[in-house]
Amino acid sequence: QVQLVESGGGLVQAGGSLRLSCAASGRTFNIYDIAWFRQAPGKEREFVARITWSGGSTSYADSVKGRFTLSRDNAKNTVSLQMNSLKPEDTAVYYCAAAVTLALRRPESYDYWGQGTQVTVSS
């Protein structure tokens, strides 16, 4: 089992920044991919960014590319999402997810999920 705990959400004005963190514990050696997804009210859950647990290769949704940066702290088993130049359309609950096999951008391929953290961007 893998446990994921997100932190760092909050309320920010458009153009501002937030940093989300996802702390992984348990059988972290099983993790292959770790990703952030988000879900706004009335919308489907969508991919935001992904990093491979071992090699640190990253990929981003087009809507956040150039504004969001994903990084990993090996010593702390933590993945962080730095979000800059935030827009009102970034408002959503952000979820951290982990997969034990190659999962890419498919939420149904992720095995473990955090509880989510709310990000609200005011205009």
Side-chain angles (χ1 to χ4, degrees):
Q1 290 290 328
V2 174
Q3 293 78 42
L4 303 171
V5 178
E6 303 105 331
S7 61
L11 172 64
V12 66
Q13 289 188 332
S17 298
L18 281 175
R19 186 177 182 88
L20 304 183
S21 291
C22 174
S25 61
R27 301 172 71 87
T28 58
F29 55 86
N30 282 340
I31 297 174
Y32 189 96
D33 275 346
I34 195 160
W36 287 92
F37 291 83
R38 65 186 182 186
Q39 189 166 19
K43 295 189 177 181
E44 293 187 353
R45 191 166 296 189
E46 66 171 353
F47 170 80
V48 175
R50 163 188 162 264
I51 188 167
T52 56
W53 190 244
S54 60
S57 175
T58 57
S59 65
Y60 299 90
D62 288 345
S63 59
V64 307
K65 199 173 294 183
R67 300 188 297 123
F68 291 11
T69 304
L70 197 54
S71 61
R72 182 193 165 201
D73 185 327
N74 292 354
K76 296 181 178 180
N77 282 341
T78 299
V79 170
S80 296
L81 183 68
Q82 178 66 41
M83 307 187 295
N84 298 328
S85 302
L86 283 162
K87 304 175 181 180
E89 51 264 43
D90 293 319
T91 295
V93 177
Y94 283 70
Y95 297 91
C96 178
V100 299
T101 59
L102 180 65
L104 300 177
R105 304 184 176 203
R106 304 180 296 268
E108 63 271 19
S109 297
Y110 284 80
D111 304 290
Y112 304 100
W113 292 82
Q115 80 285 355
T117 186
Q118 176 71 46
V119 170
T120 303
V121 184
S122 63
S123 58

